Amino acid sequence: MSFNVSSFLESLISAFKYAPVTLELTAITFVVSLILGTFIATIRHYRVPVLSQFFAIFVTIYMGLPMMVALILYNLIFMTFYNDFAEAFHISVQISDINPIFIGFFALILGTSCSISESVRGAFRGIDKTQYEAGYSIGLTKFQTLRRIIFPQMVPILLPGMQNSLIGLLKASNLVSAISVIEIMTGALLPALLYYSYLEGYVAAALVYWIIGACIELLAAIAEKNSGKYLKRTVG
Amino acid sequence: MIELTSVKKSFAKQEVLKDVSLRVNDGEVVVILGPSGSGKTTLLRCINFLERADSGLMNFGGNEIDLRKTKKKEILYVRRHSAFVFQNYGLFAHKTAIQNVMEGLTQVQKKSKADATKIAEDALSWVGLLDKKDYYPSQLSGGQQQRVGIARAIALKPDVILFDEPTSALDPELVGETLEVIKKVAKSGITMVVVTHEMSFAEEVADRVIFMDGGVVVEEGKPDEIFYRPKEERTRQFLSRIMPVDSYVI
């Protein structure tokens, strides 16, 4: 038994073919989760009555749920109740015609929003209270102060954590294979199913993930270099 | 004109302001003195609602405001007609000196960028920092940061500027340059309320000195009355602790 280069290349091509699925899952989930997570963190930071308590409890409970469990749970709920639901609302689309990727989006977005909201809350705590007061004192509204003074200063604090979240998300996105969405990993294994070239398949998948991961890290490094120029960040 | 009537404020169970009344006339420079914990900073912060008083009335430029139930619109009105100079400068860390000064001009007063730039440059040159206009606060000394803070305040052309211990966080050798600029503001005729520990400065610029202790106004009067002929024993004790012995007369 040896490493079969042609199987490997075949797997690699197949993995790249399905890379857009992973990229789509990662990018869309990240952007939506960043918005939702910031929203949750802002509500909690300003202690908006009812909503902030609700999100505090929700985030605490939800953070304990493994992504895989959530994914399979939502999938099972969907499978079990879709037909009744479709009947009740007169939806004629067959369950087999629905792309399970939306369940993947749902699970990934919920989980990532919760973890990002905690990072954003941390970033809020990194901003001195005088920054708010200075904004208010020149006559900015609460919202203007948040948008023009507080959020921009949170960006450099958030970048390392967001890079972490993004790469974590890239890696977590392959869990959707459990609900039969084909992405990089399952894509790379398609040829392996024919030739039993699993080693080649997994190496190809690893390589593609690694390339995308390296690109994210590179972009994050550039972003980090260009943000927070105003901070005295070097020690010594 | 600002007139405060029966302002009360507690933090938890600690009563910080116990029925404080105070009047600041247009163009007047009022200096508030007092030991730490006397409520002077809290009082100043209550004026522009950085702190919310529990009860009391404020007349701000003819607008009667109930401090117990202040409307958002009233808070914004007061803040847009006043400026605040912070003890620890309070410059926007991610903005350069000139952007700090321009922020309120463009975002609050809706001036064009060209107009705002002109006003901001004038204000910075007035405090002697035009050459530092593109520096970030982290690249400026404490004294320079505070002067930018003052430029930001005067550029807004407020009805009143509130100074909260503007030199307390500064290195001793930087206090002088900052006080010079504040004196310049005082001489320009802008209404000012200053909380400070700088006695000789207070004596020089104040039209009226207010001495606070334990959450009440103990005594007020012209600087030479307060400094050299204080009527109250508490004022005398306070002055004797912070002024050199030969500079006051009991």
Side-chain angles (χ1 to χ4, degrees):
Chain A
M1 187 96 188
S2 64
F3 191 84
N4 188 327
V5 175
S6 72
S7 304
F8 167 72
L9 289 177
E10 212 173 312
S11 280
L12 197 61
I13 290 164
S14 181
F16 269 118
K17 209 176 111 196
Y18 287 101
V21 177
T22 294
L23 287 177
E24 187 190 334
L25 265 170
T26 307
I28 293 178
T29 302
F30 182 72
V31 172
V32 175
S33 301
L34 187 59
I35 295 167
L36 275 178
T38 306
F39 176 75
I40 293 173
T42 308
I43 296 280
R44 291 184 66 189
H45 182 72
Y46 284 97
R47 297 201 180 87
V48 177
V50 188
L51 272 183
S52 71
Q53 284 89 343
F54 168 76
F55 282 129
I57 295 168
F58 179 79
V59 170
T60 310
I61 293 173
Y62 201 85
M63 292 275 274
L65 188 64
M67 193 70 91
M68 186 67 138
V69 176
L71 205 55
I72 291 176
L73 201 61
Y74 298 144
N75 195 38
L76 287 173
I77 292 171
F78 174 71
M79 302 283 229
T80 313
F81 296 108
Y82 178 77
N83 283 338
D84 297 342
F85 177 83
E87 209 172 305
F89 291 93
H90 307 290
I91 299 167
S92 57
V93 184
Q94 290 297 309
I95 191 162
S96 53
D97 293 337
I98 294 174
N99 188 342
I101 199 168
F102 89 89
I103 297 174
F105 272 121
F106 185 74
L108 287 174
I109 287 173
L110 269 187
T112 313
S113 298
C114 287
S115 67
I116 287 183
S117 82
E118 293 295 81
S119 303
V120 176
R121 245 155 46 83
F124 265 120
R125 299 180 71 164
I127 309 283
D128 193 76
K129 160 172 142 282
T130 315
Q131 294 292 321
Y132 295 85
E133 294 185 342
Y136 300 153
S137 82
I138 62 168
L140 296 180
T141 61
K142 239 181 186 177
F143 182 68
Q144 280 179 315
T145 305
L146 193 62
R147 187 169 57 86
R148 299 196 46 91
I149 311 299
I150 307 304
F151 280 159
Q153 292 189 45
M154 282 163 62
V155 172
I157 305 176
L158 272 175
L159 274 176
M162 290 304 101
Q163 175 193 351
N164 220 354
S165 295
L166 192 51
I167 289 188
L169 190 56
L170 170 72
K171 292 188 284 192
S173 71
N174 84 6
L175 295 176
V176 296
S177 58
I179 54 167
S180 60
V181 175
I182 302 177
E183 39 68 71
I184 289 175
M185 193 185 79
T186 31
L189 292 179
L190 287 180
L193 299 175
L194 291 174
Y195 311 120
Y196 296 103
S197 53
Y198 284 103
L199 177 65
E200 290 82 350
Y202 276 105
V203 172
L207 185 65
V208 177
Y209 278 118
W210 180 79
I211 291 171
I212 299 175
C215 289
I216 293 173
E217 282 176 60
L218 191 70
L219 287 175
I222 294 170
E224 211 168 302
K225 209 175 160 191
N226 286 303
S227 85
K229 278 184 191 143
Y230 58 87
L231 296 167
K232 279 184 175 163
R233 292 176 338 146
T234 43
V235 179
Chain B
M1 178 207 64
I2 301 169
E3 190 168 20
L4 297 168
T5 315
S6 304
V7 177
K8 290 179 187 163
K9 167 80 184 168
S10 301
F11 289 113
K13 281 190 176 142
Q14 175 85 13
E15 206 177 4
V16 186
L17 297 176
K18 309 168 183 167
D19 204 336
V20 175
S21 298
L22 164 81
R23 188 188 158 96
V24 182
N25 297 311
D26 287 339
E28 198 178 19
V29 177
V30 173
V31 169
I32 305 177
L33 297 177
S36 75
S38 60
K40 54 194 190 311
T41 289
T42 305
L43 180 66
L44 195 73
R45 289 165 59 84
C46 281
I47 296 178
N48 78 339
F49 301 98
L50 291 182
E51 220 69 75
R52 297 292 296 270
D54 298 333
S55 66
L57 293 171
M58 176 162 73
N59 186 324
F60 189 96
N63 297 276
E64 237 1 285
I65 297 166
D66 184 351
L67 299 180
R68 193 196 301 265
K69 39 179 192 221
T70 315
K71 297 184 190 83
K72 267 188 185 161
K73 228 174 78 184
E74 294 171 325
I75 294 178
L76 216 53
Y77 177 86
V78 170
R79 286 178 175 165
R80 288 180 173 179
H81 289 82
S82 63
F84 201 92
V85 175
F86 293 85
Q87 183 175 356
N88 48 4
Y89 329 127
L91 295 185
F92 305 125
H94 64 307
K95 291 182 181 290
T96 60
I98 192 157
Q99 288 171 342
N100 261 279
V101 181
M102 286 171 67
E103 183 69 14
L105 297 169
T106 56
Q107 299 305 313
V108 178
Q109 302 187 352
K110 308 289 179 201
K111 290 193 161 50
S112 72
K113 207 174 164 203
D115 288 351
T117 309
K118 174 82 179 55
I119 296 169
E121 282 176 352
D122 287 348
L124 283 173
S125 94
W126 201 76
V127 299
L129 284 174
L130 189 57
D131 56 328
K132 301 272 193 251
K133 71 184 170 91
D134 295 321
Y135 284 51
Y136 286 104
S138 63
Q139 299 166 316
L140 298 171
S141 74
Q144 290 169 337
Q145 288 188 56
Q146 193 56 295
R147 279 147 66 197
V148 174
I150 295 166
R152 179 173 71 184
I154 58 167
L156 295 167
K157 303 247 178 319
D159 297 344
V160 58
I161 303 182
L162 310 166
F163 291 82
D164 180 20
E165 303 194 25
T167 59
S168 298
L170 294 174
D171 288 341
E173 78 268 26
L174 301 176
V175 170
E177 63 178 55
T178 311
L179 286 181
E180 282 312 312
V181 171
I182 302 175
K183 280 179 203 165
K184 205 170 153 186
V185 181
K187 281 177 193 132
S188 72
I190 298 177
T191 312
M192 287 168 48
V193 184
V194 188
V195 170
T196 185
H197 293 293
E198 294 291 333
M199 294 302 148
S200 56
F201 163 79
E203 195 181 338
E204 191 182 332
V205 304
D207 295 313
R208 195 148 47 88
V209 173
I210 291 172
F211 175 69
M212 281 182 73
D213 192 13
V216 293
V217 172
V218 174
E219 187 170 357
E220 61 177 293
K222 296 219 171 299
D224 55 332
E225 289 169 10
I226 300 292
F227 288 128
Y228 301 111
R229 294 183 298 281
K231 294 185 194 75
E232 301 291 331
E233 181 55 31
R234 270 197 284 176
T235 316
R236 231 169 277 169
Q237 278 176 1
F238 173 71
L239 291 172
S240 70
R241 281 203 303 273
I242 58 167
M243 287 176 89
V245 178
D246 56 354
S247 73
Y248 69 98
V249 180
I250 290 180

